[in-house]
């Protein structure tokens, strides 16, 4: 997944309303929830859900189906799984281990430079201090 795709998919989490919808639908599982049930569980109006759901549908993070007279909303667990798997492999633990190693190496280099500077200033102080004979 390239940067543009990550930005597009993670854009689905860009508002509190969308995050509420995603979290509630994830909790509901594969059967999903009707628009009315989703409204009750999230305390969002049907209009708010419609606006947020439209964006999530366009990103393929959510799907909709009609059962009888009810519109059922559910997460696209395949896309969600792929998104987080790809993010983990691209930005996850392995990457953070490398970043931590780099941070520790930088700290060690800073400490060594500080020690050298301290030693150099001690040499200058010793040379400039008159000795008593």
């Amino acid at each position: 997944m390239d940067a543009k795709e990550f930005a597009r998919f993670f854009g689905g989490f860009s508002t509190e309303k969308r995050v509420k919808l995603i979290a509630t639908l994830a909790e509901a599982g594969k059967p999903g929830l009707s628009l009315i049930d989703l409204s009750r569980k999230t305390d969002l109006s049907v209009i708010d859900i419609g606006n947020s759901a439209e964006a999530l549908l366009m990103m393929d993070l959510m799907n909709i189906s009609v059962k009888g007279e009810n519109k059922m909303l559910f997460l696209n667990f395949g896309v969600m799984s792929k998104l987080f798997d790809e993010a983990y492999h691209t930005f996850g633990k392995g990457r953070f281990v490398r970043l931590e190693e780099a941070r520790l190496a930088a700290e060690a280099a800073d400490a060594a430079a500080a020690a050298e500077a301290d030693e150099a200033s001690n040499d200058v102080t010793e040379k400039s201090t008159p000795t008593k004979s």
Side-chain angles (χ1 to χ4, degrees):
M1 203 177 282
D2 65 7
K4 187 175 183 177
E5 288 177 295
F6 275 121
R8 183 174 77 88
F9 284 123
F10 280 117
F13 298 87
S14 64
T15 69
E16 183 181 350
K17 291 174 187 175
R18 290 181 189 177
V19 172
K20 275 185 175 183
L21 292 178
I22 290 168
T24 304
L25 290 172
E27 190 176 293
K30 290 189 179 195
L33 292 169
S34 69
L35 198 53
I36 299 300
D37 288 338
L38 190 55
S39 177
R40 287 183 187 134
K41 289 185 179 272
T42 59
D43 293 326
L44 296 172
S45 71
V46 172
I47 292 171
D48 285 338
I49 291 172
N51 292 336
S52 295
E54 183 178 350
L56 294 172
L57 286 163
M58 289 175 58
M59 288 179 242
D60 202 27
L61 293 173
M62 187 171 86
N63 292 318
I64 189 167
S65 67
V66 179
K67 285 190 179 176
E69 295 181 16
N70 293 322
K71 288 183 180 177
M72 300 297 292
L73 302 171
F74 53 97
L75 280 184
N76 185 338
F77 286 99
V79 170
M80 294 291 285
S81 179
K82 181 182 176 191
L83 170 63
F84 286 101
D85 285 347
E86 291 271 341
Y88 179 79
H89 291 297
T90 303
F91 309 112
K93 184 177 179 182
R95 179 171 171 82
F96 291 120
V97 168
R98 289 190 302 272
L99 290 174
E100 181 65 12
E101 288 170 354
R103 185 188 64 79
L104 292 172
E107 286 178 1
D110 288 346
E116 275 185 36
D118 192 37
E119 189 176 308
S121 80
N122 285 340
D123 287 345
V124 170
T125 304
E126 287 174 7
K127 289 180 182 177
S128 65
T129 305
T131 57
K132 294 182 183 178
S133 309

